[in-house]
Amino acid sequence: MNAPAVEVSEHTNRRSGGRLGRKALRGAPIASFPTLVRQIPVYQMVPDEAVELIHQESLSILEEVGCEFRDDEAIALWKAAGADVSETRVRIDRALLMELISKVPSEFTLNARNPERSVRVGDNNSIFVPMYGAPYVRDLDNNRRYGTLADLNNFHKLAYMAPALHSSSSIICEPMEIPVPKRHLHIIHSALKHSDKPFMGIVTSKDRAEDTMAMAGIVFGEDYVRDNPVLVAITNCNSPLVWDATMLDAMKVYARHNQPLILAPFALCGASTSASAVGAVAQVNAEALAGVAFTQLLRPGSPQIYGQFMVTVDMKTGAPMGGTPEAAQMMYLMGALARKYRLPWRTSGFHVGSKVNDAQAGYEANMLMHAAILAGANYIWHSAGWLEAGLTCGYSKFATDCEQLVGWYKYAGGLPFDDFKEAMAAIREVGPQGHFLGTQHTLDHFESAFFIPSIMDFNSFEQWKAEGAKDHDTRGREKARNMLADYEEPKLDEGIAEGLKDLIALREEKLPDSVS
């Protein structure tokens, strides 16, 4: 087992962290929904024969064309496993591939620093996770500008306060004022400090992944994070058919610590794949399976997440598009394949191309989230804040997305029948021409019977106008501002907080201020 290549010994004796100190890590009693256990059936868009056709073609791609693994250790591992290796090209026999895939558990627990926020990933479980990686923000004054650490802190606070978000993500927006070599330390610190939900790791270098694990070790205990999932990290295959050294380095760090990775090809369909929805899925499936299989060479039985990021390209401009029907259709196909392999799988929820939180953003978001829910996705990423194909995170979009997630949570939870008998009794109580507002059944259920959003406006025109005629985008910014005003930090144990600060200071002394 490779230990993190950072020095932590000088502060570990001073802290009272690890599993023994976790009772002190519980923060303010913020409402938080448990894992969403879907109570509605999945929808399969094509017959089983079509799923099998795509599966077989994906296996043929890996056997005949192969996939690049641009890392010496990865090549050595594939050779030892019996794959056909030529320089960096790896051709994987289908029997070997499926044997490795079968080792991945179909479900796992993702542990939070507050155990009450821990969630289950896989099978019939779904979790919602905010966006990741935006260099820009659309701020509380509706200005588009570079993100800052203060913005990142704010988004982690909003993620903590949103009951239907199950994770804080990590790089919701980039803190652009912090030098790149040191930026990851402050990103992970913000996620751990401002929220007690699960978070996401850094994958841009081996050292940064190891720093992430070292920080997680301070919070959870170093022994604990060698075996128990506490974070999820994203690794992207460079379509077509290349796993590069940076992604493989991150895989090696996280998989060997039993931390789940999302193995997700980054596919611009029509540019890095063929201009065919089913052709793109066959290629992306091959790329994802190759990545999942490699993790099992690193640590057999480690939990992993089969993934995809597939957007179509505007053939007029080359720009990626958001919530298109083809993106939704491909999501259904990937869901069917994930069920075939019994793999937890990730997709994107509110991934949109719109520049602002407008009608286009709503249409695009609905197209994709509906597909994600009905396709049975387990890790629904980019579920809050996403604008402009991921270049921007919007405060208003974040708040309005979080409200919509409450509705989607209820939708996917199915129709309860537990009060059906009482509802029928209420009809008999009221009879013809009466009303139900004063019945005991209504008094008992009015708060929970129906989704009651606070940002969406259902008032009369006159009342809406009297209250300022505010559009949805404006109300979203107001909601975000009010949430931040009400935020109370879920305090870390004092020793753990000091341990994180010590590690950050130690690493910042050693890291350069710019990328060489």
Side-chain angles (χ1 to χ4, degrees):
M1 188 77 63
N2 288 348
V6 293
E7 298 174 30
V8 296
S9 59
E10 54 189 64
H11 53 67
T12 51
N13 291 331
R14 295 207 309 271
R15 62 182 176 85
S16 57
R19 301 297 286 177
L20 296 178
R22 292 188 67 192
K23 287 184 179 179
L25 304 183
R26 299 169 191 262
I30 294 293
S32 184
F33 292 175
T35 306
L36 168 59
V37 181
R38 296 187 309 278
Q39 301 295 330
I40 57 175
V42 294
Y43 177 72
Q44 186 161 311
M45 182 168 281
V46 298
D48 289 341
E49 294 80 4
V51 177
E52 182 65 21
L53 173 64
I54 293 172
H55 164 67
Q56 293 296 337
E57 287 300 318
S58 297
L59 299 188
S60 295
I61 290 170
L62 291 177
E63 284 183 330
E64 299 167 12
V65 180
C67 186
E68 294 272 325
F69 282 80
R70 296 179 178 173
D71 172 79
D72 291 341
E73 185 181 4
I75 290 299
L77 288 167
W78 278 118
K79 282 182 179 178
D84 177 9
V85 176
S86 177
E87 296 182 346
T88 57
R89 182 78 63 92
V90 179
R91 292 176 175 84
I92 311 168
D93 176 81
R94 64 187 60 203
L96 171 61
L97 180 80
M98 297 313 296
E99 178 188 357
L100 292 169
I101 296 298
S102 70
K103 297 179 186 297
V104 179
S106 63
E107 184 181 10
F108 63 89
T109 296
L110 181 58
N111 297 281
R113 74 170 173 94
N114 179 346
E116 294 177 2
R117 311 277 200 252
S118 296
V119 290
R120 296 288 289 172
V121 179
D123 291 342
N124 289 330
N125 304 306
S126 293
I127 65 170
F128 297 119
V129 182
M131 74 163 294
Y132 181 103
Y136 298 98
V137 299
R138 184 163 287 279
D139 65 20
L140 291 168
D141 296 317
N142 204 23
N143 297 314
R144 181 184 183 271
R145 55 171 174 76
Y146 279 125
T148 66
L149 183 58
D151 292 310
L152 182 64
N153 295 342
N154 283 342
F155 286 124
H156 285 148
K157 293 173 184 178
L158 292 173
Y160 167 64
M161 297 185 74
L165 282 177
H166 298 98
S167 167
S168 302
S169 188
S170 63
I171 320 170
I172 297 177
C173 72
E174 292 271 6
M176 299 293 282
E177 78 274 28
I178 299 176
V180 169
K182 302 177 181 181
R183 191 176 293 174
H184 65 288
L185 299 166
H186 298 274
I187 290 168
I188 298 302
H189 183 247
S190 178
L192 290 169
K193 172 181 167 66
H194 296 109
S195 173
D196 60 7
K197 296 179 179 181
F199 67 105
M200 296 189 69
I202 304 295
V203 297
T204 48
S205 76
K206 179 183 178 181
D207 289 347
R208 294 170 195 169
E210 289 174 339
D211 284 344
T212 301
M213 289 310 307
M215 295 176 78
I218 292 171
V219 172
F220 291 87
E222 292 168 18
D223 291 338
Y224 189 80
V225 300
R226 290 191 182 98
D227 296 311
N228 298 282
V230 300
L231 60 85
V232 171
I234 173 68
T235 50
N236 292 125
C237 179
N238 292 330
S239 298
L241 298 165
V242 175
W243 283 101
D244 66 30
T246 300
M247 294 292 97
L248 293 169
D249 275 346
M251 278 192 215
K252 288 184 283 187
V253 172
Y254 290 120
R256 284 170 170 155
H257 278 86
N258 212 43
Q259 303 303 312
L261 294 143
I262 300 170
L263 291 310
F266 188 95
L268 301 175
C269 300
S272 60
T273 76
S274 60
S276 159
V278 292
V281 170
Q283 175 189 315
V284 165
N285 184 47
E287 295 166 336
L289 290 179
V292 173
F294 178 68
T295 66
Q296 301 308 293
L297 298 179
L298 296 166
R299 181 162 176 168
S302 60
Q304 305 300 335
I305 302 174
Y306 165 90
Q308 53 87 19
F309 183 86
M310 303 173 74
V311 295
T312 54
V313 169
D314 186 333
M315 292 301 178
K316 301 189 298 292
T317 65
M321 297 190 288
T324 62
E326 294 81 12
Q329 290 169 335
M330 291 186 288
M331 201 180 293
Y332 286 114
L333 292 178
M334 295 298 288
L337 288 161
R339 289 190 295 277
K340 178 180 178 63
Y341 308 132
R342 298 190 70 248
L343 291 174
W345 72 286
R346 165 262 169 155
T347 193
S348 299
F350 291 148
H351 165 228
V352 306
S354 182
K355 315 303 177 289
V356 294
N357 192 17
D358 60 2
Q360 178 182 329
Y363 294 144
E364 291 182 278
N366 183 71
M367 175 72 78
L368 292 187
M369 185 59 79
H370 217 136
I373 293 293
L374 292 184
N378 304 116
Y379 193 96
I380 306 177
W381 201 12
H382 304 320
S383 291
W386 184 288
L387 288 170
E388 201 179 337
L391 289 175
T392 297
C393 184
Y395 279 83
S396 175
K397 181 69 159 43
F398 202 101
T400 57
D401 284 345
C402 288
E403 179 169 277
Q404 288 301 300
L405 290 177
V406 175
W408 284 108
Y409 190 99
K410 188 164 189 176
Y411 176 86
L415 278 170
F417 275 73
D418 52 353
D419 69 329
F420 188 63
K421 183 178 179 180
E422 290 82 359
M424 295 302 96
I427 294 174
R428 289 165 173 79
E429 176 186 342
V430 172
Q433 296 189 2
H435 67 77
F436 291 80
L437 296 177
T439 66
Q440 189 61 48
H441 180 265
T442 298
L443 295 174
D444 290 342
H445 293 89
F446 76 96
E447 289 184 309
S448 60
F450 308 115
F451 173 49
I452 307 176
S454 62
I455 302 175
M456 300 176 76
D457 185 279
F458 300 100
N459 293 324
S460 68
F461 175 83
E462 289 76 15
Q463 185 173 351
W464 170 75
K465 187 175 181 180
E467 293 177 356
K470 298 170 185 175
D471 62 17
H472 192 63
D473 189 32
T474 301
R475 294 194 300 272
R477 287 195 299 279
E478 289 183 352
K479 177 68 172 182
R481 187 178 282 110
N482 291 337
M483 289 174 69
L484 291 171
D486 291 338
Y487 172 78
E488 294 182 30
E489 184 179 317
K491 294 289 188 179
L492 285 160
D493 172 89
E494 184 177 347
I496 291 174
E498 288 301 313
L500 288 172
K501 290 179 182 178
D502 289 349
L503 176 60
I504 291 170
L506 179 68
R507 292 294 290 143
E508 285 199 313
E509 285 181 6
K510 297 182 178 181
L511 292 170
D513 286 329
S514 61
V515 179
S516 58

